[in-house]
Amino acid sequence: MLLEALRLKDFRNLRDVELSPHQRFNLFTGQNGQGKTNLLEAIYLLSAVKSFRSQATNRNLIGHGRDQAELFARVDRGGHVRDVGIEIGERGKRITLNGQTVRNVADFFGTLNVVIFGPDDIGVLKGSPSERRRFIDRAIFNARPAYGTEATHFEEVLKNRNALLKEERVDGGLLSIYDDQLVEWGAQILRRRLDFIDHFRPVLKRTFRSIFGDGFEAEIGYQAEWADQDLSTENVEEALRDALSRTRQEERHRGYTLVGPHRDDLRTELDGHDLRAFGSQGQTRAFILAMKIAEITYLEERYRFAPILLLDDVSSELDRERNRQLFAFLRDRAIGQVFITTTHRDHILLEEDLRHYQVVDGEVRDG
Ligand SMILES: Nc1ncnc2c1ncn2[C@@H]1O[C@H](COP(=O)(O)OP(=O)(O)OP(=O)(O)O)[C@@H](O)[C@H]1O
Ligand SMILES: [Mg+2]
């Protein structure tokens, strides 16, 4: 997968950017607040439509004093070239593929696949469960765009069901309809996640060992506190039904849904110890680095495509040895386009197959 051309207009502080990226490494150097992360955010949007930043309303994405932002990319996927466009107005986004408006975003997903690794990811393992759910959901979505629609169905059911549970008199008939929908879509999400963990787990263990030697054993697992049995792709529906009937009273009392994939977490362990509770800073960073590398390797091995990798200023968050491992991995992986931002050129251990840009006050120049 290759980003052959990128054009941006009035996207945040990037007023007018036009690039023909290198097919391997693209390095963006600049001081703080110049527009480096904004550039990666634009590429990410061209893949996922939504931003990775939490405060990214349409208004915030549009350059100050402008009324529209325009993003454009030419993407080559195994010789198949497509033009991707997003126009962002305050009222919404318009997506185009080869100049034609896309009515259903589901048709658009999968055109461009990116994996991003940035300073926020370093906190994923110590942060709230929702951040770890986001990691796993994003990884599945990258491999199977239809997962996005499934997740939307589930969120819709959850919203309706929660609203009903908050009502003074809960309509039993309606609740049982929502229960069925919750089981149907919840089970689908759970099957996808369990299947992902099944395939991802050995890749992660192998990656961790190859980077950090045989000394440490990494482990990852899916955690669903509401289930009173070990979940498998075969028993998720039954487990959801059981849990729903067990928590009926409490759900009415609390007024929201206590059972389902929206409550779940990832358990990560190093040498048998829970990383969330016992991991040092360095161990946590090493683990998340291995998770990111495993995510890419998983996509390459299982789905046979190399996603575009966006590395936002990660070198400053990794110690010297971890940083060396990261670049060794990137160089050894003979294929794959990478966009890297940094404030310090000397953090970036790459000399070949490289195009270098400077980012200064929203302008991107060859450097
Ligand atoms: N909608 C917008 N219009 C204009 N400027 C914006 C908009 N949104 C953000 N900015 C500006 O973009 C700049 C931040 O850009 P960005 O986050 O890409 O910086 P960076 O180069 O990654 O910096 P750092 O090295 O600190 O991470 C800030 O100056 C911010 O004010
Ligand atoms: Mg930044």
Side-chain angles (χ1 to χ4, degrees):
M1 177 154 296
L2 215 59
L3 197 68
E4 290 185 341
L6 179 72
R7 270 205 312 274
L8 309 172
K9 265 204 151 53
D10 297 323
F11 178 76
R12 293 202 187 260
N13 75 334
L14 304 168
R15 284 166 295 269
D16 193 2
V17 171
E18 218 171 319
L19 304 179
S20 310
H22 195 283
Q23 56 180 357
R24 289 289 277 138
F25 300 113
N26 296 277
L27 176 58
F28 298 87
T29 308
Q31 297 187 335
N32 295 137
Q34 301 301 307
K36 303 183 298 297
T37 301
N38 293 347
L39 186 91
L40 298 192
E41 187 183 26
I43 298 173
Y44 186 90
L45 271 163
L46 284 160
S47 163
V49 183
K50 277 191 213 159
S51 171
F52 52 76
R53 282 176 161 144
S54 51
Q55 304 291 322
T57 58
N58 288 330
R59 177 68 261 171
N60 291 352
L61 297 174
I62 303 168
H64 294 153
R66 305 295 163 131
D67 47 35
Q68 167 166 307
E70 287 169 42
L71 290 71
F72 169 88
R74 176 157 293 167
V75 182
D76 181 338
R77 186 179 183 137
H80 189 61
V81 179
R82 293 215 271 184
D83 289 341
V84 186
I86 302 184
E87 273 173 30
I88 306 170
E90 232 169 290
R91 286 155 176 271
K93 298 189 178 87
R94 187 171 83 95
I95 304 167
T96 58
L97 267 182
N98 294 331
Q100 303 285 312
T101 302
V102 175
R103 306 245 167 258
N104 183 356
V105 281
D107 299 336
F108 164 82
F109 293 134
T111 311
L112 178 64
N113 295 85
V114 307
V115 169
I116 183 159
F117 185 23
D120 289 349
D121 291 303
I122 306 278
V124 164
L125 295 178
K126 291 273 186 179
S128 66
S130 67
E131 292 182 61
R132 288 180 288 281
R133 288 195 299 270
R134 207 160 60 141
F135 167 83
I136 182 172
D137 285 345
R138 175 74 202 150
I140 299 169
F141 173 70
N142 233 337
R144 291 170 174 270
Y147 183 66
T149 318
E150 293 165 0
T152 310
H153 281 301
F154 177 75
E155 279 156 27
E156 192 78 359
V157 179
L158 191 62
K159 202 175 79 190
N160 292 337
R161 194 170 181 276
N162 284 343
L164 182 66
L165 288 168
K166 280 191 182 58
E167 282 178 16
E168 201 115 342
R169 284 177 176 279
V170 174
D171 175 341
L174 191 55
L175 184 61
S176 101
I177 293 173
Y178 287 161
D179 284 357
D180 289 346
Q181 293 177 347
L182 189 87
V183 170
E184 182 189 347
W185 291 109
Q188 185 63 7
I189 304 293
L190 287 166
R191 276 191 292 264
R192 297 274 194 228
R193 288 188 184 166
L194 293 169
D195 178 70
F196 169 77
I197 294 289
D198 253 11
H199 291 89
F200 178 76
R201 186 173 158 270
V203 186
L204 174 74
K205 291 169 81 76
R206 170 159 54 85
T207 307
F208 203 89
R209 239 178 278 127
S210 78
I211 298 184
F212 304 108
D214 287 328
F216 284 112
E217 189 65 24
E219 191 55 87
I220 192 163
Y222 193 74
Q223 196 170 43
E225 300 273 356
W226 50 266
D228 61 1
Q229 53 188 314
D230 281 342
L231 290 181
S232 73
T233 51
E234 280 79 45
N235 72 5
V236 279
E237 286 189 20
E238 181 198 324
L240 273 170
R241 285 225 179 271
D242 284 356
L244 277 177
S245 56
R246 256 185 293 117
T247 50
R248 180 124 315 187
Q249 286 303 329
E250 200 189 344
E251 284 196 325
R252 288 218 184 175
H253 178 64
R254 295 231 235 155
Y256 59 88
T257 303
L258 296 166
V259 165
H262 63 297
R263 309 280 294 176
D264 296 348
D265 202 349
L266 281 180
R267 185 174 40 79
T268 48
E269 283 176 10
L270 208 51
D271 271 353
H273 298 295
D274 187 338
L275 201 75
R276 281 168 294 181
F278 300 108
S280 75
Q281 289 243 13
Q283 288 171 333
T284 309
R285 286 174 184 182
F287 203 100
I288 192 76
L289 174 61
M291 270 172 75
K292 282 288 162 180
I293 290 177
E295 183 186 354
I296 297 161
T297 311
Y298 160 82
L299 286 170
E300 288 173 354
E301 287 181 359
R302 184 130 198 255
Y303 295 93
R304 312 213 167 278
F305 69 84
I308 290 174
L309 183 55
L310 309 177
L311 292 176
D312 193 16
D313 200 18
V314 280
S315 294
S316 59
E317 297 284 334
L318 298 172
D319 62 32
R320 198 201 288 250
E321 181 54 21
R322 241 62 72 183
N323 194 48
R324 208 181 57 70
Q325 298 288 5
L326 170 63
F327 284 102
F329 165 77
L330 292 175
R331 286 191 308 262
D332 289 351
R333 178 181 171 245
I335 49 157
Q337 196 176 27
V338 189
F339 293 78
I340 308 168
T341 73
T342 188
T343 47
H344 291 95
R345 170 67 179 92
D346 40 330
H347 283 161
I348 309 303
L349 311 178
L350 297 168
E351 302 300 335
E352 284 161 39
D353 300 323
L354 183 75
R355 192 158 296 154
H356 189 199
Y357 301 93
Q358 297 281 346
V359 184
V360 183
D361 190 21
E363 284 191 34
V364 183
R365 309 179 194 132
D366 287 328

